[in-house]
Amino acid sequence: MDWQDLAYFLALVRHGSMSAAAKVLNVDHATVSLRIASLEKDLGLRLTERLPRRTTLTAHGQMIAAVAGDMNRMADRVKLQALS
């Protein structure tokens, strides 16, 4: 699994749409979509339901989003420890 794919997924979760995630990440919509598709393939799970105007999380997506959020908080703690 590519950790960056997980970061793109977390941006989608936090910002609510692929377009919003793309804007925050300073990439195009297609890049976000490809990264999430890559993550889904690597995990063997469907994480999102892509509808015409929005993307929702599946039950697996909600579970992975919670774990990814925990991982992000831990990474932030590592950064803080390194600075102290």
Side-chain angles (χ1 to χ4, degrees), residues 3-79:
W3 293 103
Q4 283 299 104
D5 291 347
L6 195 58
Y8 277 68
F9 175 69
L10 193 54
L12 167 67
V13 171
R14 288 183 171 163
H15 300 286
S17 72
M18 294 219 189
S19 295
K23 187 174 183 177
V24 168
L25 295 168
N26 199 30
V27 298
D28 59 34
H29 177 278
T31 300
V32 175
S33 181
L34 289 170
R35 289 288 198 147
I36 291 170
S38 175
L39 180 62
E40 289 176 326
K41 182 180 177 192
D42 286 347
L43 295 175
L45 299 171
R46 184 97 173 132
L47 303 177
T48 62
E49 291 294 332
R50 295 172 187 169
L51 304 170
R53 297 239 179 238
R54 63 189 168 106
T55 301
T56 60
L57 298 180
T58 64
H60 286 118
Q62 292 172 5
M63 178 188 67
I64 297 300
V67 174
D70 291 343
M71 291 172 65
N72 192 65
R73 283 186 289 282
M74 293 301 289
D76 288 344
R77 288 179 61 195
V78 168
K79 288 178 192 175

